[in-house]
Amino acid sequence: MGESVQLTQGGADARYEVFHTDCPARDMVDHVTSRWGIWVLISLRSNDLRFYELRDSIQGVSEKMLAQTLRALVKDKLVWRKVEPTTPPQVTYGLTEFGRDVSEPLTDLFDRITRRLPPRDGR
């Protein structure tokens, strides 16, 4: 029970020590499980969305926080970003294969929680 969790990266010798503060995997977990990161990943599970569609689908997120969250998730290669050269530019976001893999258990968690909640009155 005293062992730390290790995640393998690449070869047999490369390990991520996820409980160490300098572990790059820890930063990614922080981005995924941030207040808005989880909602971005769940929102993009069903289809690709433009910035304002994504903002409208996640009630309560400011444009600033959404932009910061998207930048982090794009940097982590969980989300892709496509810019159409129009005026104004149209920016679309979607999940990478890695992002789909990571968001699957989050969606499952969300579904499990909502199935267990009591029915909403009058809605």
Side-chain angles (χ1 to χ4, degrees):
M1 190 85 157
E3 294 180 40
S4 68
V5 173
Q6 294 181 347
L7 300 178
T8 304
Q9 176 213 18
D13 295 343
R15 300 270 183 198
Y16 284 125
E17 296 289 339
V18 296
F19 290 102
H20 292 218
T21 57
D22 60 347
C23 178
R26 188 171 177 162
D27 286 339
M28 188 177 297
V29 169
D30 288 344
H31 296 154
V32 168
T33 60
S34 71
R35 179 174 183 185
W36 301 112
I38 193 168
W39 297 114
V40 167
L41 294 174
I42 289 172
S43 293
L44 291 173
R45 284 279 299 162
S46 52
N47 57 337
D48 304 338
L49 296 171
R50 291 179 51 192
F51 182 87
Y52 289 105
E53 293 171 324
L54 191 53
R55 185 202 61 201
D56 292 346
S57 75
I58 306 171
Q59 292 185 3
V61 68
S62 68
E63 287 187 21
K64 178 183 176 183
M65 286 310 303
L66 180 58
Q68 287 177 356
T69 301
L70 285 166
R71 270 194 295 277
L73 295 174
V74 167
K75 181 179 172 239
D76 292 338
K77 296 182 176 30
L78 294 166
V79 171
W80 55 260
R81 178 179 187 266
K82 179 181 176 188
V83 180
E84 297 286 335
T86 59
T87 306
Q90 293 181 2
V91 183
T92 305
Y93 295 90
L95 294 179
T96 63
E97 184 179 331
F98 182 35
R100 287 199 178 285
D101 191 39
V102 168
S103 68
E104 190 174 320
L106 300 175
T107 304
D108 184 49
L109 174 65
F110 176 78
D111 290 343
R112 286 172 186 254
I113 290 169
T114 56
R115 280 194 310 265
R116 293 292 204 154
L117 291 174
R120 294 182 72 176
D121 293 332
R123 293 184 191 166

